[in-house]
């Protein structure tokens, strides 16, 4: 089985693609229970004119479409930035088993930083979470993007 770092590097490749499109560099990978990558996406709300065009939502849509099932039990999602409230809600609805993220989001993170959705036991599904995987690389990419925008 591939390591968390290997999958996070794939999420970073997606995030870098977002930079090329002028999008905030967040990338996501969906991994099947067997270990293979079944979907990949990067942020595209600007390109798609869609406020739900976050990498996590797009990768969940791809995976669900491919499997012809809105539930994705046993699947793992790797994302370069701690997910927001909207994205965590979708992950809970999909019944993911594990969410792995890189950079923490102290202003909008909904898994550990600001909120603890999906991990606090208050909802009907509990997510297993591993944060901080390749955090420096993920954070550096975001910081460079925003520095260039200023």
């Amino acid at each position: 089985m591939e390591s968390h770092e290997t999958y996070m590097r794939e999420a970073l490749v997606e995030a870098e693609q977002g930079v090329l499109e002028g999008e905030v560099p967040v990338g996501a990978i969906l991994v099947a229970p067997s270990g293979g990558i079944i979907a990949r996406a990067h942020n595209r709300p600007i390109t798609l004119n869609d406020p739900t065009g976050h990498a996590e939502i797009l990768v969940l849509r791809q995976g669900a479409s491919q499997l012809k099932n809105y539930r994705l039990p046993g699947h793992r999602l790797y994302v370069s930035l701690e997910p927001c409230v909207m994205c965590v809600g979708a992950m809970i609805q999909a019944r993911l088993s594990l969410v792995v993220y890189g950079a923490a989001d102290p202003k909008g993170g909904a898994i550990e930083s600001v909120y603890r959705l999906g991990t606090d036991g208050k909802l009907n599904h509990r997510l297993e979470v591993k944060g901080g995987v390749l955090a420096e690389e993920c954070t550096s990419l975001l910081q460079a993007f925003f520095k260039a925008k200023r």
Side-chain angles (χ1 to χ4, degrees):
M1 182 182 288
E2 299 287 332
S3 71
H4 291 317
E5 290 80 12
T6 300
Y7 289 123
M8 189 59 70
R9 288 192 197 293
E10 292 295 322
L12 279 166
V13 168
E14 282 296 319
E16 290 166 356
Q17 182 61 39
V19 171
L20 298 176
E21 295 176 16
E23 300 279 1
V24 174
V26 177
I29 301 295
L30 186 64
V31 178
S34 62
I37 296 172
I38 63 166
R40 54 179 61 237
H42 54 276
N43 269 7
R44 300 190 76 216
I46 298 166
T47 304
L48 298 174
N49 296 309
D50 180 357
T52 68
H54 291 196
E56 302 95 305
I57 299 294
L58 298 175
V59 83
L60 288 172
R61 286 178 183 161
Q62 287 176 32
S65 178
Q66 182 179 19
L67 298 172
K68 299 191 181 344
N69 192 343
Y70 72 107
R71 300 279 197 223
L72 302 168
H75 289 73
R76 295 172 283 152
L77 192 146
Y78 291 79
V79 60
S80 58
L81 178 65
E82 182 181 0
C84 71
V85 171
M86 173 184 68
C87 293
V88 175
M91 293 170 193
I92 291 165
Q93 294 302 315
R95 304 296 194 264
L96 293 179
S97 66
L98 175 65
V99 177
V100 179
Y101 70 87
D105 185 351
K107 292 184 179 180
I111 287 189
E112 294 180 318
S113 295
V114 179
Y115 303 103
R116 293 191 173 272
L117 298 175
T119 62
D120 62 10
K122 295 179 181 177
L123 298 171
N124 62 338
H125 178 71
R126 190 175 184 106
L127 296 168
E128 183 181 341
V129 173
K130 177 158 181 58
V133 175
L134 300 181
E136 287 183 30
E137 292 93 327
C138 295
T139 301
S140 293
L141 182 61
L142 286 159
Q143 288 174 340
F145 175 80
F146 287 113
K147 185 176 181 182
K149 287 282 186 190
R150 292 185 194 124

